[in-house]
Amino acid sequence: MLAGCTGDEPTPPPAPAPTSAPPTSAAALPEGLHGVAASGGIGVTALLPTTGPTLFDADRGPAGTPPGYPGGGAEMSVVRVGKSAVLTAHHDNDLFDVFVYTGPASPPRSLGRAWSVAPGVDDVSVWVIRQDAPDSCRLQHVQLDGGEVGHGQPASCHTQVRAETKNGLLITINADGAESTDALIEPATGRTVQQAPRILAVAGDRMLLDGLTDLTLVDLRDNSRKKLSRPTIGPAPTVVPSREGALFAADFAVHSYRATNTQLRDVWLLRPDSLSWEHAPGMPFVTEHLNDGGGMDWSDSGDLVLADGVLAAWHPGEPAWRLGKAALPAGDWGGITVLP
């Protein structure tokens, strides 16, 4: 599972220029996300990993708080699995309790405990790192109905599973260590398909790698590589592929803008087929939600949905974000899953 891979990298063609550049003056940065109020609302419902998760309607507010989830300050997170969602809850450094969301008024279905969980490519399963003994863990495939597929593969307890794709399972090796590395593996055998210091995301047949000064787009069909200039200066982005795998949404968020306490959000869209960047409207902007009350996901209709004070939707090519009417709940939560 931890085997590396090497290969010579061809000389890349020059990357296309970004469609726009962020402002350089701090005074020019808008406060908060700007957009338009859509007549009839934006029609987005998302599951928020609040303590006691919240089903949230972008225009009407909380639509349900399902019972049966851990309380007592448990830290929650959520991932989308097809048209459903899986939540995890944990206290301190303990194992995560894994739950399948079953509806706004019904208790969850438990999938047991694990160190990490990732959605399966079939949309009806997850991959987890189970702990069988103090120093013994395994990679296990689990259906959303709770059934385990096979006996699993031995794995390090420090491996983090991230997402299964048609080209393999994306993992981070030594995830809690100082020198982690990412890999795309065959989950059934543990064979390494690709390995790199930092794999940002995999969408369809494309894999996006982070570098010191640029990004690299890998075509997994022939292992060809193309260098991409970053569209803006900043740390490694948070990248969320679209549901059909044709686009990468990248948030080049800055937690300390110009060495101040100012948080900055800057979302760009990468089209891997044309190697072009599109700047999302209203970017960048000053925010208070990089750590709490934020998140990004794609809807089934192809909208990019951003949580930042409110839920906002943007279909690539539109001139502005469509803003939900209801304010998101305050609190120490982060991440969203758009349902269905």
Side-chain angles (χ1 to χ4, degrees):
M1 183 183 296
L2 307 185
C5 63
T6 61
D8 294 331
E9 187 171 308
T11 301
T19 56
S20 60
T24 57
S25 170
L29 298 177
E31 295 274 349
L33 180 62
H34 290 258
V36 298
S39 59
I42 67 172
V44 172
T45 301
L47 190 62
L48 313 180
T50 52
T51 301
T54 302
L55 185 66
F56 191 86
D57 185 292
D59 301 297
R60 300 178 182 86
T65 302
Y69 289 85
E75 183 179 345
M76 304 289 295
S77 62
V78 62
V79 295
R80 179 169 45 79
V81 182
K83 296 189 177 183
S84 186
V86 168
L87 295 111
T88 61
H90 75 106
H91 296 271
D92 299 325
N93 295 320
D94 202 3
L95 285 160
F96 292 80
D97 293 301
V98 184
F99 302 98
V100 179
Y101 172 75
T102 62
S106 56
R109 181 184 306 115
S110 175
L111 296 183
R113 310 188 80 198
W115 281 117
S116 62
V117 59
V121 72
D122 59 6
D123 291 340
V124 293
S125 66
V126 292
W127 292 88
V128 298
I129 299 292
R130 295 270 202 229
Q131 184 161 24
D132 296 323
D135 297 313
S136 176
C137 288
R138 61 188 157 96
L139 172 66
Q140 183 65 55
H141 194 194
V142 183
Q143 300 291 331
L144 293 188
D145 63 8
E148 293 193 347
V149 181
H151 300 291
Q153 294 282 339
S156 167
C157 298
H158 302 286
T159 294
Q160 178 188 6
V161 288
R162 293 169 52 187
E164 187 184 17
T165 75
K166 70 176 185 177
N167 287 288
L169 179 66
L170 181 58
I171 66 171
T172 296
I173 302 163
N174 196 29
D176 52 358
E179 296 184 2
S180 64
T181 188
D182 294 337
L184 195 64
I185 67 167
E186 285 184 350
T189 65
R191 183 183 74 87
T192 298
V193 178
Q194 295 279 346
Q195 186 167 327
R198 178 151 187 147
I199 301 174
L200 295 172
V202 178
D205 290 313
R206 300 319 207 294
M207 179 172 67
L208 189 62
L209 309 181
D210 186 40
L212 293 176
T213 59
D214 50 27
L215 306 174
T216 300
L217 190 67
V218 181
D219 191 326
L220 295 170
R221 293 168 295 188
D222 58 10
N223 201 35
S224 60
R225 298 174 177 232
K226 296 178 179 177
K227 292 287 187 182
L228 300 175
S229 297
R230 289 173 179 261
T232 183
I233 298 173
T238 298
V239 179
V240 182
S242 59
R243 294 197 187 193
E244 82 290 348
L247 302 169
F248 291 100
D251 185 4
F252 291 86
V254 178
H255 286 77
S256 181
Y257 180 61
R258 295 188 173 179
T260 68
N261 292 326
T262 300
Q263 300 176 28
L264 200 67
R265 173 157 276 144
D266 194 6
V267 176
W268 292 77
L269 198 70
L270 173 62
R271 300 180 184 274
D273 286 341
S274 60
L275 303 181
S276 61
W277 291 99
E278 180 179 356
H279 211 181
M283 301 290 162
F285 67 91
V286 175
T287 179
E288 298 179 351
H289 301 293
L290 292 186
N291 298 320
D292 301 318
M296 188 167 61
D297 194 15
W298 290 86
S299 75
D300 197 38
S301 62
D303 285 343
L304 181 61
V305 177
L306 186 65
D308 201 291
V310 298
L311 289 178
W314 172 61
H315 201 83
E318 289 182 339
W321 291 86
R322 292 169 278 121
L323 304 181
K325 300 175 183 177
L328 287 165
D332 185 16
W333 63 270
I336 62 169
T337 285
V338 176
L339 297 176

